[in-house]
Amino acid sequence: MSDREFSIGRLAFRALGAAVAVLALATVSIAVWQPTAGVALLIALAGVVGAITAMGVVSTRMTRKELGPDS
């Protein structure tokens, strides 16, 4: 456990930051490669799934780090 108090704001900020990073990567990928509409849709959907996954991973790791593995 760390020496500072657990912050829901910090958790939300970092989880949303991870999601934004994944969505930005998907957006840049579409802009650089300029794929067909179907492929761009698949990249965008993969970006949404990746963003949701990133938020889950970041929030789980932060919560377990701050509150212990049983939380």
Side-chain angles (χ1 to χ4, degrees):
M1 190 147 35
S2 68
D3 57 348
R4 61 183 174 193
E5 187 176 327
F6 183 72
S7 170
I8 297 295
R10 187 181 313 118
L11 174 69
F13 184 74
R14 290 186 181 170
L16 290 175
V20 167
V22 172
L23 290 173
L25 181 64
T27 303
V28 168
S29 298
I30 292 171
V32 169
W33 292 335
Q34 297 180 350
T36 62
V39 174
L41 178 62
L42 288 176
I43 293 171
L45 289 175
V48 170
V49 170
I52 293 168
T53 303
M55 288 185 343
V57 168
V58 167
S59 63
T60 300
R61 290 189 69 187
M62 281 186 67
T63 303
R64 287 187 177 160
K65 180 181 176 187
E66 294 290 329
L67 302 179
D70 294 332
S71 53

